[in-house]
Amino acid sequence: MFKGFTRFLQSPGERLKSLFGTDSAAAGLSEPRIIPRQEHPVSRQHFSDAALKVLYRLHNAGFEAYLVGGCIRDALIGKMPKDFDVATNATPEEIKELFRNSRIIGRRFRIVHVRFGREVIEVTTFRGKPGDDHGDHIAQQSDQGLLLRDNVWGSIQEDAIRRDFTINALYYSIADFSIHDFANGVRDIESRILRLIGDPATRYREDPVRMLRAVRFAGKLDFHLDPATEAPIRELAPLLLQIPPARLFDEILKLFMAGHGVETFRLLRDYGLFEMLFPEAAEAMDELSWAEPLVEAALASTDRRIAEERPVTPAFLFAALLWGPVQLRQAEQEANGLPPIPALQAASQQVVSRQLKHISIPKRFSLPMRDIWDLQQRLPLRRGRRVYQTREHPRFRAAYDLLLLREAAGELNPGLGDWWTAFQQADEHEQRRLLDKVGANPAGSGAPRKRRRRRRKPRSGNGNGNA
Ligand code: ATP
Ligand code: MG
C-alpha cells in the first residue's frame, strides 16, 4: 500500500529531550526509526483541522507534539482515521493552560480533552515506567499486576513502550512530518501482525482489556495475532472479571459497533473472552440451538447498516445478545407457575441485573431493550386495535427486526414476520384483509410455535426446534 518503506533511516543519535532527562540508553530503550515525510504516505490531509490546531499550538508553545496511535496506524493502512490522539511532553496543567476549551479527565490515566464543537482531541503527556516515581505522580499496581494508576511522566521512548501494540506505537511529528517508529510497528503493519510490546502475559495482567483490544484490532483490521501475543489469552481471559463494568461497556460498543461485529464476536468466542463479558448469553448458546445464530444475525445486520452508514443502536444489539438468557429464565418462571407476561418481565429483570455486574448498560439503552423484549409478546397478538397500538410503538421497528432474526435463527416458525412485513406495506383495505385472515385463524398460520431444544452435541448445526 505504501512504497519506499523498506528504506528506513536510523535516527542519527538524536539526543533525547525528555521532561525529566531520562537516559534512554541506560533504560534499555532503543532509538526510533525515523521515517521522513517523503518516505511515508501519511499527510496532513489525513487529519482533522482540530487535530492539527492542537499540534501546532503545542509546537508553537515550545512543546513536542505528535499524533499517535490509531490515527497513524489507520492512515498507514489506507483508512481515514476518525479520531485523534496527541502525545506531548507538556503536562496536563500546561496543556490546559494552552486550550480554553479543555478539561482534565480520568484518574487512572489523567488526560486532557480538547473540544472543538463535537470533536474531541485526546491529549496525553508522555508516560514513564510505573516503577519510576517522579514525586507527586505515582503509579499503583495491584497484587495481580493490574495497573491502578499510571500518571508517571516520562520520555517519548518510555511512552512508546507503554503502549499496547507495536502498530499503535507510531508517532507523527508536527515539527517535520516524520513518523517515529519505536517498536517496528511499520514492519508489523506491512505483515499484518498484531504484536504486543513487551512480555504478553505481563501486559495482559497490567490491563486485561488489552485482550479485548487484540481481538478488536484483529477483527477490524483483518490482522493476525502473533503467536506469543495470542498464547496467554485463553488462560488469562478470567482477568476481565476485574474490570469495572463502565469501562467494559465502552469497550463492548467498540467491539460490536465498529462494522466488524461478526468477525470480532467469533474471535471473542474462540478465545473464551465472550463468556467473561456475557456469561448468561454464553450459557444460553450452549443450551439453545438458535441463540448463537441469533446473535450472529444481529451482528451481521449491524455490520451491514454501518457499511451503509445507517444508524444503529446498542439497545437492539443488547436485546439480541440477551434474548437467549431471557428465554431460559422465562421458561423457568413459567415452570414455577407464572403466566407468560409476568414471566417475561421477571426474566428480563433478572437477566438485566445479572448482566449489569459485568457490563453497565445505561438506562437509555436498557429501557428500549426491555421494550423490544416486551413487544415480542405483543407481535403475535393481532386482533382489534392492538395491532395498531403495536405498530405505533416507538420500538416497533426494532422489535420487528428482532422477530425476523428470531425466525431466521430457527427459534420461531416463519410466518409472523412476513405477516408484519405485509401489514406495514399494505393500504387500509389490504390491512383489513390481513386482519380478517388472522381473525379467521387466530392461532394458525404465522403464529409462532416455539419450542426449545437442548443441543446434544455442540455446534450440531442449526436445527430449528419446531416439530
Ligand atoms: P481506535 O481509536 O481506532 O479504536 P486506537 O488505537 O486509537 O484505536 P484508542 O483507545 O483511541 O485506540 O487509544 C489510543 C492509543 O493509546 C492506542 O493506539 C495505544 O497506543 C494507546 N492505548 C490505548 N489503550 C491502551 C491500553 N489499554 N494499553 C496500552 N496502550 C493503550
Ligand atoms: Mg483512537
Side-chain angles (χ1 to χ4, degrees):
M1 197 140 282
F2 38 94
K3 287 179 239 86
F5 253 171
T6 33
R7 294 174 290 119
F8 294 122
L9 295 186
Q10 209 62 39
S11 155
E14 183 199 48
R15 273 252 64 87
L16 292 164
K17 290 169 278 160
S18 112
L19 211 54
F20 299 98
T22 316
D23 183 18
S24 65
L29 302 171
S30 57
E31 296 286 306
R33 286 177 167 174
I34 297 184
I35 305 157
R37 172 64 192 94
Q38 62 276 16
E39 289 177 30
H40 68 72
V42 180
S43 82
R44 276 166 291 170
Q45 278 164 16
H46 285 100
F47 310 134
S48 71
D49 291 346
L52 292 170
K53 241 182 234 168
V54 171
L55 290 174
Y56 279 119
R57 191 165 311 166
L58 285 164
H59 179 72
N60 293 337
F63 296 109
E64 295 175 43
Y66 298 86
L67 277 170
V68 63
C71 58
I72 305 306
R73 173 197 73 216
D74 290 352
L76 281 171
I77 292 169
K79 290 179 191 267
M80 214 50 195
K82 50 173 182 26
D83 61 44
F84 300 94
D85 302 295
V86 170
T88 176
N89 61 356
T91 63
E93 289 72 20
E94 287 168 331
I95 301 163
K96 190 154 187 328
E97 256 180 38
L98 281 176
F99 301 95
R100 289 209 341 219
N101 48 338
S102 69
R103 220 152 57 92
I104 299 179
I105 60 155
R107 218 172 98 86
R108 188 169 158 276
F109 290 107
R110 287 174 74 222
I111 61 182
V112 184
H113 275 178
V114 186
R115 183 175 284 282
F116 297 86
R118 297 180 64 189
E119 188 174 356
V120 174
I121 308 295
E122 257 184 40
V123 188
T124 55
T125 307
F126 296 147
R127 287 201 158 70
K129 277 213 308 287
D132 293 354
D133 185 350
H134 296 293
D136 55 339
H137 305 297
I138 302 164
Q140 290 181 356
Q141 216 154 0
S142 78
D143 298 345
Q144 290 94 30
L146 184 76
L147 271 179
L148 301 175
R149 274 210 225 172
D150 190 6
N151 288 311
V152 179
W153 313 140
S155 66
I156 186 172
Q157 260 88 352
E158 290 172 311
D159 186 79
I161 59 161
R162 315 236 34 259
R163 290 181 181 269
D164 48 6
F165 298 95
T166 60
I167 61 169
N168 286 345
L170 297 165
Y171 294 68
Y172 173 93
S173 163
I174 199 62
D176 59 5
F177 316 125
S178 60
I179 289 178
H180 297 218
D181 179 358
F182 289 88
N184 278 323
V186 168
R187 179 199 62 196
D188 285 343
I189 284 181
E190 286 176 322
S191 29
R192 308 182 80 78
I193 287 179
L194 265 172
R195 190 194 312 273
L196 272 172
I197 298 170
D199 171 56
T202 309
R203 302 304 313 279
Y204 290 137
R205 283 183 204 282
E206 278 174 7
D207 183 3
V209 169
R210 289 172 186 150
M211 293 186 274
L212 298 181
R213 290 174 60 85
V215 163
R216 172 154 74 87
F217 294 131
K220 165 177 160 172
L221 306 171
D222 196 17
F223 276 32
H224 294 293
L225 296 188
D226 176 66
T229 293
E230 179 178 38
I233 295 183
R234 277 187 193 83
E235 191 192 329
L236 298 181
L239 294 177
L240 283 173
L241 300 173
Q242 306 172 5
I243 303 299
R247 184 168 178 219
L248 285 182
F249 176 74
D250 293 342
E251 256 344 283
I252 296 300
L253 292 192
K254 292 193 207 159
L255 284 163
F256 291 148
M257 317 267 298
H260 306 270
V262 173
E263 184 52 29
T264 308
F265 168 71
R266 289 190 185 139
L267 291 168
L268 289 173
R269 289 282 279 161
D270 287 349
Y271 289 120
L273 294 165
F274 181 78
E275 63 211 69
M276 300 302 154
L277 304 169
F278 294 95
E280 299 210 0
E283 193 189 302
M285 287 172 187
D286 291 337
E287 296 199 23
L288 303 168
S289 59
W290 50 263
E292 187 156 9
L294 176 70
V295 169
E296 293 207 352
L299 288 165
S301 131
T302 304
D303 289 349
R304 246 188 334 269
R305 291 181 69 103
I306 291 169
E308 294 162 2
E309 299 189 353
R310 288 157 68 200
V312 288
T313 163
F316 176 74
L317 199 59
F318 276 95
L321 273 163
L322 298 175
W323 180 245
V326 167
Q327 287 299 280
L328 286 178
R329 302 282 159 259
Q330 183 182 345
E332 277 170 21
Q333 296 291 344
E334 288 185 38
N336 290 338
L338 273 188
I341 290 178
L344 175 67
Q345 261 153 21
S348 307
Q349 180 73 50
Q350 282 177 357
V351 168
V352 171
S353 72
R354 289 186 208 177
Q355 184 59 48
L356 290 180
K357 298 201 175 91
H358 297 272
I359 295 167
S360 53
I361 311 172
K363 283 240 160 52
R364 67 180 187 282
F365 301 127
S366 65
L367 294 179
M369 171 180 81
R370 295 186 61 166
D371 285 345
I372 294 169
W373 291 341
D374 288 344
L375 280 163
Q376 300 308 305
Q377 280 183 331
R378 286 167 56 176
L379 287 167
L381 312 173
R382 289 159 292 158
R383 309 200 66 176
R385 283 215 314 273
R386 264 172 186 277
V387 75
Y388 294 99
Q389 287 167 355
T390 300
R391 175 75 185 83
E392 292 311 312
H393 193 288
R395 310 289 162 219
F396 167 78
R397 186 67 208 195
Y400 159 77
D401 285 343
L402 182 61
L403 172 69
L404 294 182
L405 297 184
R406 292 171 65 203
E407 291 185 351
E411 179 195 355
L412 302 177
N413 269 332
L416 184 59
D418 284 346
W419 188 92
W420 275 107
T421 307
F423 187 79
Q424 291 173 77
Q425 291 161 355
D427 60 18
E428 219 175 301
H429 173 77
E430 175 64 12
Q431 283 189 342
R432 229 170 289 127
R433 204 187 61 75
L434 283 163
L435 287 168
D436 287 346
K437 228 167 86 181
V438 178
N441 183 15
S445 72
R449 277 261 165 267
K450 63 182 178 200
R451 191 183 298 164
R452 288 167 203 95
R453 191 174 73 184
R454 279 180 195 262
R455 196 191 273 174
R456 291 199 185 87
K457 281 173 265 158
R459 294 174 197 275
S460 61
N462 189 5
N464 90 29
N466 300 295

